[in-house]
Amino acid sequence: IKQPPSNPPPRPPAEARKKP
Amino acid sequence: IILQTYRAIADYEKRSGSEMALAMGDVVDVVEKGQSGWWFCQMKTKRGWVPASYLEPLDSPDEAEDPEPNYAGEPYVTIKAYTAAMEDEVSLQQGETIEVIHKLLDGWWVIRKDNITGYFPSMYLQKAGE
Amino acid sequence: IILQTYRAIADYEKRSGSEMALAMGDVVDVVEKGQSGWWFCQMKTKRGWVPASYLEPLDSPDEAEDPEPNYAGEPYVTIKAYTAAMEDEVSLQQGETIEVIHKLLDGWWVIRKDNITGYFPSMYLQKAGE
């Protein structure tokens, strides 16, 4: 398994924010 | 090890080489859940029929793979009628006898009937006498 | 059995359930080359890091997976500065001591410094005292 990216992942997408 | 299965809820474009792109609806197995919010995943293996004409070999993509043409022709019979959708195709009824000149891998064979030559779906052809 | 590997030279959209969609550049193993020009293929397994916030569990997608918040707070130190990109995030310098309130799985933790609460990348935090 390679190293994870060195930047934080993006904030949740709009599709996720729609959820209650 | 039993991996947990997740579904992508949105498209995600890769921003670096170690990332994997997601299309909404993709199903993945999660191998490792990083605390950083980066999870290492493996895409569920997809399988299915695809048109050969949409593929090229990974190595030597310019090498010809199609068999050589046979200008003498090989007798076949149409098992289903087909109306030409493009100019270089041939329209035929069911039950017509034709000659196959070139069995191209994309499934559109070059056929000859009388003086007409053109493409016809191999799926609608059967060897004469079978 | 050694399968031949091919690359998709164009996008292909599925038109029926047994087909597989292709994106240009996809790499596939060919399991069976139908004479009809339909080839049965298997997508090469893709692996990589993806953002957890883009995934939901396949079963019970609405069940909460995040741990419970800890309103008492857990002391952490920033190991890298970060400037808020969205209104609900917190800007901090390196070396600041804060309290982690909620360790969300997407890697954006809810933190508290003095009277300010907001999101901060867990990747830039380290437990105080380590």
Side-chain angles (χ1 to χ4, degrees), chain B residues 6-7 42 47 56 65, chain C residues 6-7 42 56 65:
Chain B
Y6 282 72
R7 178 191 295 110
Q42 181 166 295
R47 312 180 90 201
E56 69 179 3
E65 289 193 289
Chain C
Y6 282 72
R7 178 191 294 108
Q42 182 167 293
E56 68 179 5
E65 288 192 291

Side-chain angles (χ1 to χ4, degrees), chain C residues 47-69:
Chain C
R47 312 181 90 201
W49 295 98
V50 302
S53 59
Y54 280 63
L55 302 175
E56 68 179 5
L58 204 62
D59 307 314
S60 324
D62 293 329
E63 275 180 23
E65 288 192 291
D66 285 312
E68 291 299 306

Side-chain angles (χ1 to χ4, degrees), chain B residues 5-9 11 18 20 35 37 39 41-43 46-50 52 54 56 58 65 122, chain C residues 5-9 11 18 20 35 37-39 41-43 46-50 52 54 56 58 65 122:
Chain B
T5 308
Y6 282 72
R7 178 191 295 110
I9 61 172
D11 293 348
S18 65
M20 177 169 70
Q35 199 177 58
W39 289 5
C41 297
Q42 181 166 295
M43 195 73 76
K46 289 191 285 185
R47 312 180 90 201
W49 295 99
V50 301
Y54 279 65
E56 69 179 3
L58 204 62
E65 289 193 289
S122 63
Chain C
T5 307
Y6 282 72
R7 178 191 294 108
I9 60 173
D11 292 350
S18 65
M20 178 170 69
Q35 200 177 58
W38 287 107
W39 291 4
C41 297
Q42 182 167 293
M43 195 72 77
K46 289 191 283 185
R47 312 181 90 201
W49 295 98
V50 302
Y54 280 63
E56 68 179 5
L58 204 62
E65 288 192 291
S122 63

Side-chain angles (χ1 to χ4, degrees), chain C residues 110-122:
Chain C
V110 180
I111 64 115
R112 183 175 60 216
K113 172 141 184 122
D114 303 323
N115 285 339
I116 298 170
T117 312
Y119 294 101
F120 197 83
S122 63

